[in-house]
Amino acid sequence: MNIHKVLVVGAGNMGHQIAIQTALNGFQVACTDVSEETLDKARAFFADWLKGRVAKQKLTQEQADGVRGRLTFTPDLKGSAADVDLVLEAVPDIVEVKKKVLREVDGYTPDRTIFGSNSSYIVSSRFADAVKDPSKVLNVHFFNPAIVMKTVEIVKGPHVSDETFATVIEFVKAIGKTAIPVHKEIYGFLVNRFVTLLVREAGYLADAEIATPENIDLAIKGALGHPMGPFELIDLAGLDLEYQVRMERFKETGDLADRPSVALISHVVKGEYGRKTGKGFYAYD
Ligand SMILES: NC(=O)c1ccc[n+]([C@@H]2O[C@H](COP(=O)([O-])OP(=O)(O)OC[C@H]3O[C@@H](n4cnc5c(N)ncnc54)[C@H](O)[C@@H]3O)[C@@H](O)[C@H]2O)c1
């Protein structure tokens, strides 16, 4: 596996944690964002997280210093992309945004660079033509929180070379994750196809006032043994993301069942995006 330097584009909910996980496992990493505020939050989280790891004796001070030395959060996309082997993008889940970012980064990276997209649902063949060599573009799907969750789906579209697929599977293992190869493209890959069913049904039941979101969550956790209910899960992922994803899907399929639920919309219009804003279906400190 010829991956040494990694660029993560987007330092939001997912990107900053993907960057930390990668640096933790010995890779040189830069993580960029267009928002200075997001970069500041990412730096603060990283500093706190390192301190916590040392306090809990999960890392020695020397190891923590090593991780700190390998990871930078920076607005400088061009400079950071100059010599990278792998780009992982974690920008909003909208095809045109993915394309714009990949097109720009492709202008700065060497020919050997592989591009992984952290999209939750969108298959890479929808945006792979944004770069010169689409055989190097694939889905590399982490779960939230990326430092904690073990699973990463690696999805091979028809345009992806065997070498790219194999290299990224090795990389995912090298950063301490469980690589789940997905051999054909399909909307939502594996896990989010199940999540979609659950979230869609939960929204329908809440909209029809058959049960409250709290009690739907309680039922799913208690009866199915899930660690979180569907509404808690959306609060963690971000209601804005869930809304974007549902709207994109609804525009594509025209299926009314794909529309965002009223319960979801009623929070999104108030700017209540879940944990990241302190309020969603639940309130957070
Ligand atoms: N939130 C989740 O639970 C979750 C889980 C798995 C995968 N994902 C996927 O990860 C991706 C990112 O989601 P998120 O929840 O981290 O979103 P987010 O909104 O928290 O972060 C996205 C970041 O991208 C930045 N950005 C936008 N345009 C950019 C550009 N041109 N260059 C650099 N940065 C740019 C934004 O400033 C923002 O900080 C999406 O594709 C999403 O589907 C999210």
Side-chain angles (χ1 to χ4, degrees):
M1 184 193 59
N2 251 341
I3 294 188
H4 307 285
K5 283 183 89 171
V6 178
L7 166 65
V8 180
V9 185
N13 232 339
M14 296 301 292
H16 75 283
Q17 294 214 4
I18 295 169
I20 292 172
Q21 180 69 24
T22 304
L24 180 65
N25 286 281
F27 293 85
Q28 198 68 39
V29 187
C31 181
T32 66
D33 203 288
V34 288
S35 155
E36 272 296 346
E37 191 190 335
T38 302
L39 286 169
D40 282 343
K41 270 193 198 162
R43 288 182 192 109
F45 174 88
F46 180 41
D48 271 3
W49 181 84
L50 275 181
K51 216 184 283 172
R53 292 276 95 184
V54 173
K56 287 180 191 155
Q57 299 185 338
K58 302 281 183 192
L59 289 179
T60 63
Q61 188 58 52
E62 198 185 353
Q63 287 169 326
D65 292 343
V67 183
R68 193 180 296 108
R70 287 193 293 274
L71 173 56
T72 41
F73 290 100
T74 168
D76 178 15
L77 181 68
K78 186 175 179 183
S80 309
D83 193 29
V84 294
D85 306 296
L86 173 67
V87 174
L88 295 170
E89 72 75 18
V91 299
D93 220 30
I94 300 169
V95 174
E96 286 313 314
V97 177
K98 305 282 193 205
K99 279 194 171 188
K100 182 174 167 286
V101 167
L102 289 188
R103 201 173 293 125
E104 184 179 358
V105 183
D106 192 38
Y108 306 138
T109 48
D111 289 348
R112 66 175 187 277
T113 306
I114 291 176
F115 298 88
S117 167
N118 191 48
S119 175
S120 302
Y121 292 91
I122 310 169
V123 294
S124 71
S125 56
R126 304 259 328 261
F127 44 77
D129 63 355
V131 307
K132 289 186 284 297
D133 181 0
S135 78
K136 292 193 167 70
V137 182
L138 77 177
N139 294 94
V140 186
H141 182 212
F142 290 77
F143 291 82
N144 190 6
I147 293 176
V148 179
M149 304 300 276
K150 288 300 260 185
T151 296
V152 178
E153 296 171 324
I154 301 114
V155 186
K156 188 174 187 300
H159 54 284
V160 180
S161 72
D162 290 343
E163 190 190 344
T164 300
F165 194 51
T167 301
V168 173
I169 289 171
E170 283 314 304
F171 165 76
V172 166
K173 290 180 188 166
I175 60 168
K177 298 295 186 191
T178 306
I180 307 286
V182 179
H183 298 282
K184 287 184 187 173
E185 285 192 338
I186 186 164
Y187 176 82
F189 324 128
L190 303 181
V191 175
N192 277 347
R193 295 185 70 80
F194 295 97
V195 171
T196 297
L197 295 177
L198 206 64
V199 165
R200 215 162 70 169
E201 191 60 21
Y204 166 75
L205 293 171
D207 283 0
E209 298 179 352
I210 288 166
T212 61
E214 291 80 2
N215 283 330
I216 293 170
D217 279 350
L218 267 181
I220 296 293
K221 288 188 288 187
L224 299 183
H226 290 195
M228 301 177 101
F231 293 102
E232 289 171 320
L233 197 62
I234 308 175
D235 266 6
L236 177 67
L239 274 66
D240 51 340
L241 170 67
E242 181 63 21
Y243 178 80
Q244 262 168 27
V245 164
R246 295 267 68 80
M247 281 308 288
E248 284 256 316
R249 187 63 177 161
F250 176 49
K251 277 189 241 158
E252 278 165 23
T253 65
D255 181 348
L256 294 181
D258 285 328
R259 277 181 313 183
S261 65
V262 174
L264 174 65
I265 294 169
S266 64
H267 288 290
V268 170
V269 293
K270 287 185 270 182
E272 295 170 1
Y273 296 159
R275 287 191 188 212
K276 63 173 123 176
T277 59
K279 191 166 182 346
F281 289 101
Y282 297 88
Y284 302 88
D285 289 335

